[in-house]
Amino acid sequence: RCNKQLGLWAADILGLRDQAAEHYAAEVVTADLQRPGHDDVLRKIATDMERHQHAQITAEAIKNQMAGFLTQASQELLEEG
């Protein structure tokens, strides 16, 4: 959940919409499967931001969004019980 939301957030910044945004979010989720931890997701999004001239979106900003989405996903799971 967290990575999908993060991927959709990043897709919006990158100007991706609809199926392109969903596809990008799926790529972010897949990136997380490469190695334990979230560094691979952070690296993918940061690289994509730089590649598309969104360097103002720093690794710190991505980490902050990731933390927020992780909290949100955890809360949703607790509510679903």
Side-chain angles (χ1 to χ4, degrees):
R1 288 182 186 198
C2 172
N3 289 334
K4 181 175 182 182
Q5 290 301 318
L6 187 64
L8 291 172
W9 169 80
D12 184 55
I13 293 169
L14 295 170
L16 303 174
R17 302 287 179 264
D18 303 320
Q19 283 195 337
E22 290 291 333
H23 179 74
Y24 184 80
E27 287 180 3
V28 170
V29 169
T30 300
D32 192 36
L33 302 175
Q34 294 174 2
R35 294 189 177 128
H38 296 290
D39 289 342
D40 39 5
V41 170
L42 178 63
R43 187 171 25 262
K44 177 187 180 19
I45 293 175
T47 299
D48 291 345
M49 290 295 172
E50 286 182 33
R51 186 177 299 135
H52 292 91
Q53 278 111 42
H54 292 287
Q56 75 277 13
I57 306 297
T58 63
E60 191 65 31
I62 297 166
K63 286 180 188 179
N64 288 337
Q65 284 295 323
M66 188 181 298
F69 288 131
L70 183 59
T71 299
Q72 179 183 341
S74 296
Q75 187 64 34
E76 288 173 2
L77 287 173
L78 287 173
E79 289 172 3
E80 290 175 9

